[in-house]
Structures are given as structure tokens and as C-alpha cells.
Amino acid sequence: MDRNTTIGLILIGIVLTVFTVINQPSQEDIKKAKEAQKKEKAETKPQKEANEGKKENAKPIQKNPASTAPIIAQKEVKVVTLENENIKVQLSSLGAQLNAVYLKQFKSYDHYVKGKQEPLCLFSEKDGNNFLYLPGYTTTDQINFSTKAEKDKVTFESAFDASHRIVIQYTLTKSNQLDYSIRLDGFDSKVKNEAQLKWYLNYRRTERKLKEQRKITTICFQEKEEGMDYLSETSDDYGVTENPIEWVAFKQSYFSAILHAEQPFKAGGKLKVSNYPEGSEKEYSHIKEMKMSLTPTFDAENVAKFTWFFGPNEYNLLASYDADYDDILNYGWGIFRWINLYAVQPIFDLLVHNNIGAGIAILLLTLILKLLLMPIQWKMFVSSVKMKILKPQIEKINEKFPKKEQAMEKQSAMMGLYRDAGASPLAGCVPMLIQMPILLAVFRFFPANFDLRQQPFLWAEDLSSFDSIWDFGFNLWPYGDHMSLFTLLMAATTLIYTYMNSGNMQQPTQPGMPDMRIIMYIFPVLMIFFFNDYSSGLSYYYFISTLFTILIMLAIKRFFIDEEKLKIKMEERTAKAATTPRKKSKFQERLEEMQKKANEAQKNSKRK
């Protein structure tokens, strides 16, 4: 392994280390969480019960209490269910709001491992609410609306007096969509311009590892002019929208609820995502608390229209809505996202959607990518062999120029050696830099890809989660509470690959310089801790990828490259270069000029 390959692998290790560190909550976040916990405990149980009872029995607050006009309402709270082949929603007359959403095509992890056929509950009663705040009047969650239910539609209606009326309607249309509209009759423009649509939601845990779900759960929102933005995934966050908002997505690891406004929400809205404080009743059952408070835009008929999407974070499904919903998928940024969207995703889709299991699809995907990168792998290996052949001569140059002030002379001698032998240290570095974006892209792709969810392979019961072959029953910091076999295999193949290339590694020539071989042997050990909780599909990919790399290296060395013949060819080239005068490159001329000036400056300093 030459120096540039080593640097490339170290860079990957640094990126993974930084990624792990930034995913940890800060001390400030922990402090805020504890303060929130104390505040929550300050509210006594009797107070909570009183507040809940007050909400259940509340009546609409009239703008004009003296009015004798009847209020359209009903005595008992009524719950109506709408459903199709994909989703089931429950609607409550109290507040004319969503009580619960179930995804009928999917199961939670707990039901999956127990073999239960119950639909996945995205959220249920008391997990959240959606209501309208009308300044000077009331909030709609205080009203028990009259209810009119049809086949795929429910209409809620309430009146403050003869001239003020609220009509809220839900219509189940197709697939995973629910149309939602609010009509305000008789209210002046000031009320409509200052009304706020509030949506609070506490997502239920649906996957195996709650901690991992929380790491990638947040609020995403689409600004009309600026595109998609989001709040922090790893800590509590709060934001005020500076531009009109087209849609807001409450996104968790594999499912989302997206509220899309027909006419954008006005700027100045508020968004907040919070973790549960230690000791909270939702600490182990729910993911995060999300809040939205935005001002809707009413049309000429006093109606604000929306569409709700409830469903999986599956790329093709989200992209089919042509509203940039797929931007919520955390496929990385910049070049990493492009690689995933235009290279990795199409190949993986082609394999998975042709009835090939997810595990075999990852195997074939890895093989395809390795074949496409074969020319780069070839150049890396040839460069590595050349550097290995030149290693004795490089060591002689290091011995000839051991002093720091001889650095330019040593560099000039090195360049001459590389030029005459037809080798270049950059020939190994550049291919590694080309491959690094792919390695980092799949780091985002597999944990975010919905097609891995609840897909078993070999001993892994779910490729979207870790594969445990031994549950300890206790947490062994910093390793965890289980042992992931794919992670161990990945680390083992990386260790073998490091050993195979350690002979090409140059030893430190300056005192105090670290031995790169030791550093590279530490890297596979660190991977065991980094990846133990990660998606087993990701660890499996890295394991297969490194294994293929080892096999390709052995095949190239055994059948395609003869080191002795390459050595003879390089020696002949060097001998020919010694007898053939060559024009110096501009860089070499500048280097020699700098060396000359440095020598003169050193002589002048000695004279003084």
C-alpha cells in the first residue's frame, strides 16, 4: 500500500469519525432536555386531568356572547374511519382533526419479528393534533363539530353565530393521499390573514433501534423559491420560515407525513423538533415531538386547500408526486447524492424490482460497481507494484539526504527517479480519490433505502437494522449491547487487505514520525465500533466490496502482471533515460532554482 492509498483510507476514517461525533447530542442539548423534564414534572397529575377534562367538555368561544343564534354542534365526540388499500385514517369531531393514521401495507418491527399482521401505526389518538387558531375567536380543537360522513369523505361544520361558520373537510382520494380543506365563512380578512394552522405530532417507534431512528428524524420543508431545507436531525431545533412554504414533512427514518398547501403558507411560520427528556413517559415509545405553526393562504372563496401524504420514504413513490418529496431522503449532498440518485439507485432498483432478494441485489450491485471501476483498480495496483519495486531506491535517496535542509535535493532526486522509471505516486492517489465518493455515497444510501426494510438475508433478520448474533443483555461501552457479524467480517477483510498492502508502505524517515502500518491496522478495529449499530446492509456491502477488491488484486497479480517483467522493463527505461539527455520541466527548473537560492542563503548565514 503506497503513501497516497494510505492517505485516502485515513481520510475515510476521519470522515466516519467526524460523522459519528456530530451525531452525538451536545452538552447544551442535554442541559435543555433536563430543564424541559423539570418543567414537565412541575405540572401535577390533578392539573393534567383537569386540563384534559376541560378540553373534552369545551364549547366554542363566541365572538359575540350575547348572540342567540344556534351553534351547530353535537353532544358526543364522534370518530369516523376512512380507508383504502394503503391507508386507514381516523377522524374526530372534537377539533375536526386526525386521530390516527395506519399504513396497511407495512408492519412495525415488533409486529414483524412476532409474525403479527397488524398495520403499522404511524400515530394514534393523543400522539398529536391539528387545528386552526383564529385570533379573537378560538382554536378549533376546542369545538366539537357536527359530522357528516360519506363513503370517502367527512365534513365537519360549526357556527359561532348566523354569519360565522367553519367547515373542515377530509377526502380520501388515491394511494397514500388525503385531501384536507378549511373554509371560513363570514370572517373578515384580518382573521384570515392572521389565522395559524397548527400541527403537533409525536411519532411512534416503528423500527428496531429507537436511538438510530431518532438520529435521522426531523422536519423538512420546501421553500417556494429556495428549495428544500430541514431542521437538525441530531438535536433539538427551532426555525422561523423566511419564505413562503409549499409543504412541510414530518420525516422519520422510513415513513413520513407531508402536508402540501395548494397555495403556499406565508412566511414567518414556526417549526420545532424536540427530543424527549430523560424520564418522559414517551422516552421509550416515541421518536420525537414535532410542531408546526404556519399561516395558510385562503382563496377568493375563503378556502385553504391541502393534501396530506402518509407513506414510506421510498424513492420512486416520493418522486412520482413531482413535488420534490424525494429530497427528504438523506442520500447525502452534492456529488454523493448524484452518485446515489443516478448510479446506485437505478442499478439497485433494477435488481430489487425483478424479484431478486435484497441480499443478492447488494451482492450483484457490488459486483457491477467493481467491474465498472476495474480500470481504476488496475491503475492503482500497477502503481502500487511500481512503488514497491522502487522502494529500495527510495530508501537509498532518504539515506543520502537525511537532513531537513536537504529536502529540496531529496525531492528533486525522487522526481528524477519516478520520471526515469515511469512511475508516479499520484497514479495511486487519483484512483483512490475517484473511488472515495462511491464509498461515502453508499454510506448514506443503504441506511436510507426503504427496499432494505424488513428484508432478511442469511442470519440478518432485517438488512435495514444491525445483524445481531449475540445479545449481551447489557451495554458494553463503547461497543454496544450486541455483536454484529457483518461488521466483524467487514473489519476482518479490511485487515486482510491492509496486511496484503503493508509491504508497500514506506517507513518513517524522520524521528517522531508515526509508523503508518500501525495506524492502518488500527483502522479496521475502529470500524467494529463505528458500524456495530449501523444497517447490516451497509456492513454487508463494505464486506463484499473489500472481499472483491482482494480477489481482483490476487487475480491481477496471478494472471495479468508479472512483477519481474515489470521490474526489468522499469530498469531498461531507467538505463535509457541515463544515456538520453532530457529537457527539464518548468517545475523541475523552478525547484532547482529554489534549491540554489536556499543553498546560497544558508552559506550567507554561516558567514555572518
Side-chain angles (χ1 to χ4, degrees):
M1 185 182 294
D2 58 31
R3 178 187 178 193
N4 296 292
T5 304
T6 301
I7 293 173
L9 290 173
I10 290 176
L11 287 174
I12 296 175
I14 292 173
V15 170
L16 294 178
T17 302
V18 171
F19 181 80
T20 302
V21 171
I22 64 175
N23 270 325
Q24 302 300 319
S26 64
Q27 291 298 322
E28 183 180 354
D29 294 332
I30 296 173
K31 184 178 179 182
K32 288 181 179 179
K34 290 183 177 179
E35 290 175 355
Q37 179 189 0
K38 292 179 181 178
K39 185 176 180 181
E40 181 178 332
K41 288 182 177 179
E43 183 179 359
T44 64
K45 185 176 180 181
Q47 286 177 321
K48 287 185 178 180
E49 293 175 350
N51 290 338
E52 290 176 0
K54 182 179 178 182
K55 181 177 178 180
E56 291 292 330
N57 298 314
K59 294 182 178 179
I61 300 174
Q62 297 180 354
K63 176 68 175 179
N64 181 9
S67 174
T68 59
I71 298 174
I72 301 176
Q74 55 195 23
K75 294 181 179 180
E76 295 181 0
V77 175
K78 187 174 182 180
V79 176
V80 182
T81 299
L82 298 178
E83 63 181 305
N84 59 21
E85 69 278 6
N86 291 325
I87 63 174
K88 180 173 76 171
V89 299
Q90 292 179 348
L91 306 163
S92 173
S93 63
L94 181 60
Q97 58 190 332
L98 274 167
N99 253 15
V101 172
Y102 296 86
L103 302 180
K104 298 169 67 175
Q105 304 295 326
F106 307 101
K107 296 180 287 187
S108 68
Y109 175 80
D110 291 340
H111 290 158
Y112 165 70
V113 295
K114 294 176 182 177
K116 293 185 177 181
Q117 298 304 315
E118 298 180 20
L120 182 143
C121 178
L122 204 58
F123 59 90
S124 67
E125 187 179 3
K126 296 183 181 180
D127 285 338
N129 57 346
N130 58 286
F131 58 94
L132 191 69
Y133 164 68
L134 298 174
Y137 285 84
T138 185
T139 57
T140 57
D141 63 337
Q142 300 292 306
I143 304 173
N144 190 15
F145 286 73
S146 67
T147 306
K148 180 183 178 181
E150 301 175 52
K151 181 181 179 182
D152 295 317
K153 181 168 65 176
V154 179
T155 302
F156 297 106
E157 185 174 344
S158 183
F160 291 90
D161 50 44
S163 59
H164 294 81
R165 186 182 307 271
I166 304 174
V167 180
I168 297 177
Q169 191 174 89
Y170 296 88
T171 305
L172 191 59
T173 55
K174 59 179 182 179
S175 186
N176 298 76
Q177 286 191 163
L178 179 70
D179 288 349
Y180 171 44
S181 67
I182 303 172
R183 190 175 85 232
L184 299 180
D185 292 334
F187 293 88
D188 58 37
S189 57
K190 184 177 186 299
V191 173
K192 288 182 289 186
N193 290 333
E194 296 180 1
Q196 295 177 22
L197 181 60
K198 297 180 181 291
W199 180 23
Y200 302 159
L201 187 59
N202 296 271
Y203 263 137
R204 286 178 171 265
R205 167 182 166 265
T206 60
E207 308 305 315
R208 184 177 193 175
K209 197 83 170 180
L210 183 57
K211 182 180 71 174
E212 295 303 312
Q213 265 199 286
R214 283 179 175 152
K215 283 183 179 179
I216 51 180
T217 296
T218 189
I219 298 177
C220 302
F221 53 98
Q222 177 83 354
E223 296 181 304
K224 186 176 181 181
E225 304 296 336
E226 303 297 328
M228 203 274 287
D229 201 353
Y230 58 94
L231 300 184
S232 173
E233 293 181 328
T234 57
S235 61
D236 295 355
D237 201 3
Y238 171 84
V240 177
T241 61
E242 299 179 354
N243 299 291
I245 302 299
E246 294 181 339
W247 52 258
V248 174
F250 287 179
K251 165 190 168 287
Q252 52 119 308
S253 50
Y254 289 109
F255 300 95
S256 289
I258 305 176
L259 181 63
H260 193 147
E262 186 174 285
Q263 297 186 51
F265 294 103
K266 297 175 183 178
K270 299 175 182 178
L271 303 169
K272 183 179 181 181
V273 59
S274 307
N275 287 283
Y276 300 107
E278 185 179 350
S280 168
E281 61 180 2
K282 293 184 172 69
E283 183 180 3
Y284 300 107
S285 59
H286 292 68
I287 308 172
K288 286 182 181 179
E289 181 180 50
M290 304 185 192
K291 294 183 177 181
M292 177 203 87
S293 179
L294 298 178
T295 300
T297 302
F298 290 87
D299 60 21
E301 297 180 351
N302 303 317
V303 179
K305 297 180 180 180
F306 315 90
T307 299
W308 242 313
F309 166 87
F310 300 104
N313 297 335
E314 198 274 322
Y315 173 76
N316 293 315
L317 175 62
L318 295 176
S320 68
Y321 287 92
D322 196 25
D324 295 328
Y325 290 169
D326 54 294
D327 285 347
I328 70 174
L329 295 177
N330 194 350
Y331 276 0
W333 52 270
I335 188 174
F336 308 119
R337 186 174 184 83
W338 300 339
I339 290 172
N340 282 329
L341 289 182
Y342 303 115
V344 181
Q345 178 77 48
I347 298 173
F348 193 68
D349 274 350
L350 182 65
L351 297 171
V352 170
H353 295 157
N354 279 281
N355 297 322
I356 297 176
I360 301 299
I362 293 176
L363 176 67
L364 295 177
L365 171 68
T366 310
L367 181 59
I368 291 170
L369 292 177
K370 283 298 178 182
L371 290 176
L372 292 175
L373 295 172
M374 179 70 80
I376 297 175
Q377 193 72 38
W378 176 278
K379 288 182 178 294
M380 285 183 62
F381 186 75
V382 171
S383 174
S384 177
V385 172
K386 287 183 177 180
M387 296 302 293
K388 180 180 178 181
I389 293 173
L390 293 178
K391 187 177 179 181
Q393 298 178 62
I394 293 173
E395 291 176 351
K396 288 181 179 179
I397 293 175
N398 288 329
E399 293 173 359
K400 185 177 180 181
F401 304 104
K403 299 179 181 179
K404 288 185 178 181
E405 54 268 24
Q406 296 176 312
M408 290 188 179
E409 294 174 270
K410 181 169 68 175
Q411 183 67 22
S412 179
M414 290 281 194
M415 289 180 60
L417 175 64
Y418 294 146
R419 183 187 64 246
D420 293 342
S424 172
L426 292 178
C429 180
V430 173
M432 173 59 71
L433 292 176
I434 294 174
Q435 291 189 83
M436 274 186 65
I438 297 177
L439 292 173
L440 296 176
V442 297
F443 183 79
R444 285 294 191 183
F445 177 79
F446 286 113
N449 189 273
F450 187 82
D451 289 322
L452 295 185
R453 186 178 185 271
Q454 296 181 0
Q455 293 298 311
F457 181 67
L458 298 177
W459 57 84
E461 63 183 7
D462 183 355
L463 285 172
S464 69
S465 181
F466 58 83
D467 57 307
S468 176
I469 58 169
W470 182 13
D471 292 324
F472 302 150
F474 58 90
N475 187 57
L476 182 62
W477 188 90
Y479 185 56
D481 58 3
H482 65 275
M483 180 180 292
S484 171
L485 182 54
F486 274 131
T487 300
L488 295 177
L489 291 173
M490 175 186 63
T493 51
T494 305
L495 192 65
I496 294 171
Y497 177 76
T498 302
Y499 175 76
M500 291 175 62
N501 291 277
S502 61
N504 301 335
M505 217 176 287
Q506 298 179 25
Q507 298 303 307
T509 57
Q510 300 293 336
M513 292 289 289
D515 190 334
M516 297 301 293
R517 291 182 301 180
I518 296 176
I519 295 177
M520 292 312 298
Y521 281 127
I522 292 175
F523 179 65
V525 177
L526 294 177
M527 293 173 73
I528 297 175
F529 299 94
F530 288 146
F531 287 89
N532 196 51
D533 273 344
Y534 275 75
S535 159
S536 55
L538 177 65
S539 301
Y540 169 53
Y541 170 82
Y542 282 143
F543 159 57
I544 293 296
S545 179
T546 309
L547 183 62
F548 279 167
T549 300
I550 292 172
L551 295 176
I552 289 172
M553 286 178 59
L554 292 174
I556 292 174
K557 184 176 181 180
R558 177 69 175 83
F559 301 106
F560 299 102
I561 294 181
D562 189 324
E563 289 191 25
E564 288 301 320
K565 288 183 179 180
L566 183 60
K567 182 178 180 180
I568 293 172
K569 186 177 180 180
M570 292 173 66
E571 289 175 348
E572 290 176 351
R573 180 185 174 105
T574 302
K576 184 178 179 181
T579 59
T580 304
R582 290 189 178 184
K583 184 179 178 181
K584 296 179 181 179
S585 65
K586 292 183 178 180
F587 178 75
Q588 189 171 5
E589 289 177 354
R590 287 197 297 268
L591 190 63
E592 290 180 355
E593 181 66 25
M594 291 171 62
Q595 179 181 342
K596 183 178 179 181
K597 290 181 180 180
N599 291 337
E600 290 177 354
Q602 185 178 1
K603 290 179 181 179
N604 292 334
S605 63
K606 288 181 178 180
R607 290 174 183 174
K608 293 179 181 179

